[in-house]
C-alpha cells in the first residue's frame, strides 16, 4: 500500500512525546494519525503525517530512531457496526492484525482505520471481494 | 566445647607455620614446574627455576597468575594432575565468555573441607549443631564447601541451597537449625522475613557464617540483632579453593587465613611490589597443598590489609580485613561475580552497541542488576512484539552468561551518560 507510517522509538520519559510533536509542528508537518504502543520502559510512537518523507528526515536529524512501514488504510462509513463488519471480514479470512488505530480527517464524512497485518495482499483481495477498497494517499491528502 | 577443629595447626607457633610454609612452597614449586607447562613457561620467561625458591623469602621471584592467564589456559592449561586423578570441578565467572574452571583431587576436597570445618568450629559449631547451608549448590563453591565442612564437624547438615524462602523458614523453625551459612544479603532478607512474621521465638539459630559478598559492620549488627545470633565472616575464591580460605573467630576483627595451605601477600596493584604488613594493597595467594589446581601467586584483585597481631581466640594465623574494594572492575551481585566485559560480550554478540550502563542497586537487602542499552536503527521495529522478543532474548543471553537475572532497559540513543567523553559503565547505588 502506498501509505507510509513512521514509527519512532520512545523512551519512557516525561515530555518526550511533546518534544516530538513540537518539532513536527514547528516544521509545519500536519499529523493525520497518532498511536502509541508502550511497555513499562519504552514505547513506539506511530504516526501518519501529511508529508512522510519530510517528517522522517526532520525526526532523524534530531537524533530519533525510526522506521518507515507501509500500512493499509481502509475507510469505513461513520455509523454504528461498520468497524465491526470490517473486523469480522478480516477475522473470517484468518488474517492476523499486528496493530490498528484510527485516522482522522474531515473529508468525505468517513472514518478511516490504519492496519498493519500479517498478509497484506490477501487482505486487499479479501476486502475487494467484499466491495471495500483500501484508501490511497490522494484520498487522504497525503504527499 | 571444641574451640578449634585442628588445634595443633590453628594455634601452632609462628616459627612452626613458617617451617610448614617453607617446606611446602619448595615442594609445590617443583610440582608445578614438573606438571604445569603453562606456568613453567612463565617461570622461564622470568628467569626463575625451582632451585631459586629455597624459602618463602624467595616467593617474590615467582611470576603472578592473573585472570587473563586463567582465560588463556582455559580449561586444562593450569592443571597440576592428570584428569584421572581429579574428582570434581567448581566454576565461577571469568572476565568474558569463558568461565573459570577449577579442578580438585579427592585430597584437595578433603583439605578444602577442613578449612570450612575450621570456620564452622570457630563459629561455635560441633556435633550438637544443625547446620543450615543456604549457599547455592552446584558449580558455585559456597554450598559444596560449607556442606563438606559441616559433615567433617559432624553437624546435622541441611543442604538447603539458595532461594525458596518459605521452605527455608519452615526448616529453620521445624528442624531447629542452629547455624546458618549463606550470603549476608540473604541472611538480612531472612532476618527481615522472620521479624515480620514474628518467628523470632520459634528459631534456635545461634550463629551465622556469611560470605561471598561485601557487607558492613552495620549490616552485621542488624542481622545479629534481628536473628539473635553472632555473625561470622568467611572469605574464599574458587581459583584458590572456595570458601574457607580465611574465616572469622569470635573476636570478629578480621579473618584468619589458613596459612598451612595458603600464603598471603599484599602487593601494590600498579607495580606488583610486595608491601609491608599493615599496608593496604591487592591480596595475592599461593596454594601450598593444592594438587589439581596449584596456583602460585594468584592475584585476587581484592584490596585489603593483613595483620599478624595476637588474637584473643588463640589462633596464630595472620588475619585479613574484609576486602575494601577491587583493583579491577568486577562487581559482586547476589554473591555472583559479574564483569562489565561479560555484559559487553553479550551485547555485541546480540547486535547492540557497546555503549551501555550497568546499574546495581540493593532494595530490601536484595541486589538488583539493570543493564541500560541504547536502541539502534537496526534493532528498532514498528512492532512491539518484535522488540520485546529481542529484549527477552537479550535477557536470556545475559542470564546464561552471568548466571543471574539482569533487567534490560532500552533507552534512546546517546542518552547514556558520558563523562569527559568516556562512558560511565557502572553505577553502584548500593549503600552497604
Amino acid at each position: 500500500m502506498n501509505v507510509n507510517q513512521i514509527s519512532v522509538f520512545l523512551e519512557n520519559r516525561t515530555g518526550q512525546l511533546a518534544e516530538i510533536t513540537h518539532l513536527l509542528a514547528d516544521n509545519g508537518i500536519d499529523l493525520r494519525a497518532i498511536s502509541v504502543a508502550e511497555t513499562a520502559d519504552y514505547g513506539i510512537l506511530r504516526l501518519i503525517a501529511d508529508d512522510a518523507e519530510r517528517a522522517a528526515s526532520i525526526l532523524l536529524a534530531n537524533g530519533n530512531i525510526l522506521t518507515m512501514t507501509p500500512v493499509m488504510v481502509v475507510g469505513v462509513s461513520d455509523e454504528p457496526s461498520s468497524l465491526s463488519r470490517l473486523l469480522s471480514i478480516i477475522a473470517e479470512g484468518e488474517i492476523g492484525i499486528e496493530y490498528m488505530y484510527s485516522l482522522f480527517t474531515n473529508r468525505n464524512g468517513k472514518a478511516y482505520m490504519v492496519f498493519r497485518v500479517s498478509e497484506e495482499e490477501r487482505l486487499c483481495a479479501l476486502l475487494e471481494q467484499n466491495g471495500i477498497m483500501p484508501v490511497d494517499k490522494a484520498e487522504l491528502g497525503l504527499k | 566445647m571444641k574451640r578449634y577443629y585442628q588445634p595443633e595447626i590453628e594455634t601452632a607457633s609462628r616459627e612452626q607455620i613458617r617451617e610448614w610454609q617453607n617446606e611446602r612452597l619448595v615442594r609445590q614449586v617443583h610440582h608445578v614446574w614438573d606438571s604445569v607447562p603453562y606456568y613453567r613457561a612463565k617461570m622461564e620467561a622470568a628467569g626463575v627455576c625451582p632451585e631459586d625458591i629455597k624459602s618463602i623469602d624467595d616467593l617474590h621471584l615467582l611470576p603472578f597468575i592473573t585472570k587473563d592467564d586463567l582465560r588463556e589456559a582455559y580449561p586444562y592449561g593450569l592443571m597440576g594432575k592428570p584428569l584421572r586423578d581429579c574428582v570434581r570441578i567448581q566454576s565461577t565467572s571469568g572476565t568474558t565468555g569463558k568461565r573459570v574452571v577449577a579442578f580438585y583431587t579427592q585430597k584437595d576436597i578433603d583439605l578444602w573441607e577442613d578449612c570450612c570445618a575450621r570456620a564452622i568450629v570457630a563459629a561455635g559449631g560441633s556435633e550438637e549443631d544443625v547446620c543450615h547451608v543456604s549457599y547455592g549448590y552446584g558449580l558455585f563453591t559456597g554450598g559444596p564447601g560449607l556442606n563438606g565442612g559441616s559433615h567433617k564437624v559432624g553437624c546435622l547438615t541441611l543442604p538447603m541451597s539458595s532461594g525458596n524462602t518459605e521452605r527455608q523458614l519452615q526448616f529453620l523453625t521445624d528442624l531447629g537449625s542452629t547455624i546458618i551459612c549463606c550470603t549476608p544479603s540473604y541472611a538480612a532478607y531472612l532476618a527481615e522475613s522472620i521479624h515480620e512474621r514474628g518467628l523470632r521465638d520459634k528459631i534456635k539459630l545461634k550463629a551465622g557464617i556469611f560470605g561471598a559478598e561485601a557487607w558492613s559492620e552495620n549490616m552485621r549488627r542488624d542481622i545479629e540483632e534481628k536473628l539473635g545470633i553472632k555473625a561470622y565472616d568467611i572469605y574464599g575464591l574458587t581459583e584458590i579453593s572456595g570458601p574457607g580460605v580465611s574465616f572469622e573467630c569470635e573476636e570478629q576483627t578480621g579473618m584468619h587465613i589458613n596459612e598451612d595451605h595458603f600464603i598471603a601477600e599484599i602487593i601494590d596493584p600498579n607495580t606488583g611490589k610486595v608491601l609491608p604488613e599493615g599496608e593496604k594493597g591487592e591480596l595475592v595467594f599461593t596454594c601450598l597443598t593444592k594438587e589439581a589446581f596449584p596456583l602460585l601467586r594468584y592475584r585476587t584483585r581484592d584490596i585489603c590489609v593483613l595483620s599478624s597481631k595476637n588474637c584473643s581466640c588463640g589462633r596464630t594465623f595472620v588475619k585479613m580485613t574484609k576486602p575494601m574494594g577491587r583493583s579491577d572492575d568486577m562487581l559482586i551481585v547476589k554473591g555472583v561475580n559479574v564483569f562489565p566485559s561479560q555484559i559487553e560480550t553479550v551485547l555485541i554478540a546480540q547486535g547492540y552497541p557497546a555503549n551501555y550502563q550497568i546499574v546495581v542497586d540493593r532494595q530490601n537487602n536484595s541486589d538488583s542488576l539493570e543493564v541500560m542499552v541504547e536502541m539502534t536503527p537496526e534493532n528498532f521495529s514498528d512492532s512491539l512484539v518484535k522488540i520485546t522478543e529481542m529484549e527477552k532474548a537479550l535477557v536470556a543471553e545475559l542470564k546464561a552468561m552471568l548466571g543471574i537475572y539482569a533487567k534490560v532497559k532500552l533507552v534512546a540513543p546517546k542518552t547514556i551518560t558520558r563523562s569527559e567523553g568516556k562512558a560511565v559503565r557502572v553505577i553502584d547505588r548500593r549503600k552497604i
Side-chain angles (χ1 to χ4, degrees):
Chain A
M1 285 296 102
N2 60 356
V3 174
N4 269 325
Q5 166 193 274
I6 302 173
S7 309
V8 188
F9 179 71
L10 281 184
E11 205 182 295
N12 186 0
R13 175 168 59 78
T14 312
Q16 226 216 325
L17 202 50
E19 278 167 32
I20 291 174
T21 51
H22 278 153
L23 177 67
L24 295 174
D26 288 348
N27 285 279
I29 299 279
D30 188 13
L31 294 177
R32 294 300 166 78
I34 188 160
S35 137
V36 176
E38 87 282 353
T39 70
D41 295 320
Y42 61 88
I44 302 171
L45 170 66
R46 300 180 184 127
L47 303 170
I48 307 280
D50 59 347
D51 187 340
E53 293 292 332
R54 205 163 67 83
S57 61
I58 292 163
L59 288 167
L60 279 174
N62 279 272
N64 288 289
I65 280 192
L66 60 81
T67 180
M68 295 274 251
T69 318
V71 287
M72 185 179 257
V73 180
V74 182
V76 286
S77 57
D78 192 3
E79 58 190 33
S81 90
S82 51
L83 177 62
S84 146
R85 192 171 82 86
L86 174 62
L87 292 180
S88 302
I89 294 170
I90 298 175
E92 278 157 23
E94 292 187 346
I95 291 172
I97 298 174
E98 274 186 43
Y99 52 80
M100 62 165 246
Y101 51 98
S102 54
L103 181 147
F104 298 102
T105 173
N106 51 10
R107 290 161 196 260
N108 314 329
K110 265 193 200 167
Y112 293 91
M113 296 307 298
V114 179
F115 286 98
R116 173 77 171 154
V117 295
S118 53
E119 298 160 280
E120 205 163 282
E121 283 181 15
R122 206 156 73 74
L123 178 59
C124 263
L126 186 67
L127 291 179
E128 275 176 40
Q129 282 168 26
N130 285 275
I132 302 167
M133 286 299 287
V135 176
D136 63 9
K137 281 189 192 175
E139 183 177 341
L140 297 167
L142 305 177
K143 269 194 186 171
Chain B
M1 198 176 73
K2 251 170 102 169
R3 293 194 64 196
Y4 315 102
Y5 177 65
Q6 290 165 311
E8 68 292 349
I9 299 171
E10 293 173 68
T11 62
S13 68
R14 288 304 302 171
E15 293 71 34
Q16 176 64 69
I17 294 169
R18 197 187 147 86
E19 209 173 291
W20 284 328
Q21 290 190 333
N22 284 338
E23 179 204 319
R24 290 172 186 181
L25 177 66
V26 169
R27 198 172 57 210
Q28 185 75 317
V29 171
H30 275 96
H31 167 60
V32 172
W33 175 271
D34 292 339
S35 52
V36 187
Y38 184 93
Y39 194 75
R40 181 181 180 144
K42 278 184 87 98
M43 282 176 68
E44 281 168 344
V48 192
C49 62
E51 289 66 37
D52 295 329
I53 311 300
K54 297 181 196 76
S55 74
I56 57 170
D57 294 333
D58 303 317
L59 183 61
H60 66 98
L61 298 172
L62 291 169
F64 292 116
I65 296 177
T66 64
K67 278 254 187 205
D68 288 342
D69 289 310
L70 298 188
R71 194 175 61 224
E72 211 170 299
Y74 173 91
Y76 300 125
L78 287 163
M79 287 182 75
K81 284 282 180 185
L83 277 176
R84 66 165 184 281
D85 293 340
C86 298
V87 296
R88 170 97 65 84
I89 69 152
Q90 301 287 163
S91 174
T92 183
S93 27
T95 48
T96 55
K98 296 229 172 86
R99 294 182 61 85
V100 171
V101 177
F103 299 84
Y104 301 76
T105 62
Q106 186 54 53
K107 187 181 159 216
D108 290 336
I109 287 184
D110 219 36
L111 298 182
W112 172 29
E113 290 178 352
D114 281 346
C115 290
C116 291
R118 290 176 193 174
I120 293 169
V121 174
S126 73
E127 300 86 336
E128 309 299 328
D129 283 292
V130 178
C131 186
H132 189 107
V133 183
S134 302
Y135 282 112
Y137 279 67
L139 290 172
F140 179 56
T141 52
L146 270 308
N147 189 89
S150 174
H151 278 215
K152 287 220 166 188
V153 175
C155 304
L156 172 63
T157 309
L158 309 189
M160 299 301 301
S161 200
S162 51
N164 200 340
T165 301
E166 289 305 320
R167 193 172 62 193
Q168 304 273 359
L169 294 177
Q170 191 192 338
F171 277 60
L172 275 169
T173 49
D174 293 355
L175 294 176
S177 311
T178 53
I179 297 175
I180 181 162
C181 310
C182 62
T183 60
S185 57
Y186 195 57
Y189 179 75
L190 283 175
E192 200 59 50
S193 309
I194 286 166
H195 183 73
E196 275 168 14
R197 296 171 201 211
L199 294 174
R200 171 73 190 271
D201 295 340
K202 299 205 165 59
I203 59 162
K204 297 203 175 94
L205 286 177
K206 62 174 189 185
I209 301 173
F210 307 130
E213 64 184 18
W215 53 313
S216 61
E217 280 306 312
N218 282 340
M219 211 169 151
R220 180 191 329 244
R221 274 190 292 275
D222 188 49
I223 296 170
E224 288 188 331
E225 215 168 282
K226 285 211 175 88
L227 291 177
I229 62 168
K230 194 154 174 161
Y232 297 84
D233 205 351
I234 186 166
Y235 173 90
L237 58 171
T238 309
E239 296 90 322
I240 299 306
S241 61
V245 170
S246 66
F247 61 96
E248 226 172 32
C249 62
E250 72 259 21
E251 211 186 81
Q252 296 180 316
T253 53
M255 295 173 277
H256 288 286
I257 295 170
N258 282 311
E259 288 184 285
D260 53 333
H261 299 305
F262 314 108
I263 302 176
E265 299 170 275
I266 293 289
I267 62 160
D268 178 328
N270 299 313
T271 63
K273 287 267 173 297
V274 178
L275 298 174
E277 187 187 306
E279 280 195 39
K280 191 163 121 177
E282 183 182 329
L283 185 59
V284 173
F285 280 114
T286 294
C287 299
L288 294 171
T289 49
K290 288 270 292 288
E291 296 180 328
F293 206 60
L295 300 189
L296 304 179
R297 300 197 88 202
Y298 178 66
R299 291 186 60 164
T300 64
R301 295 288 177 182
D302 281 325
I303 302 290
C304 71
V305 178
L306 297 182
S307 162
S308 58
K309 267 193 227 140
N310 284 341
C311 187
S312 59
C313 77
R315 286 179 186 79
T316 45
F317 289 153
V318 72
K319 283 195 281 195
M320 59 179 271
T321 59
K322 271 180 199 302
M324 300 159 170
R326 299 275 306 171
S327 67
D328 63 6
D329 56 1
M330 187 180 93
L331 294 161
I332 300 181
V333 184
K334 294 180 181 173
V336 174
N337 299 349
V338 172
F339 292 92
S341 50
Q342 292 176 294
I343 291 171
E344 194 167 315
T345 305
V346 172
L347 291 178
I348 292 169
Q350 297 285 305
Y352 289 89
N355 194 30
Y356 59 93
Q357 197 163 56
I358 299 164
V359 183
V360 192
D361 211 339
R362 181 172 286 178
Q363 266 159 10
N364 303 324
N365 293 307
S366 179
D367 289 345
S368 66
L369 178 63
E370 182 175 89
V371 182
M372 290 168 69
V373 193
E374 289 184 354
M375 180 49 97
T376 62
E378 295 74 30
N379 288 339
F380 184 58
S381 153
D382 66 312
S383 159
L384 201 57
V385 176
K386 274 191 198 127
I387 300 180
T388 49
E389 270 170 9
M390 230 172 47
E391 195 183 358
K392 274 187 204 152
L394 181 57
V395 167
E397 288 297 322
L398 284 170
K399 173 104 202 260
M401 172 69 91
L402 307 173
I404 53 169
Y405 168 74
K407 179 179 161 45
V408 166
K409 185 169 185 182
L410 295 170
V411 297
K414 301 191 177 60
T415 50
I416 289 176
T417 333
R418 290 161 172 86
S419 66
E420 292 158 17
K422 197 173 179 289
V424 181
R425 288 277 173 253
V426 179
I427 298 177
D428 198 335
R429 298 208 181 108
R430 290 177 292 191
K431 308 236 176 340
I432 294 170

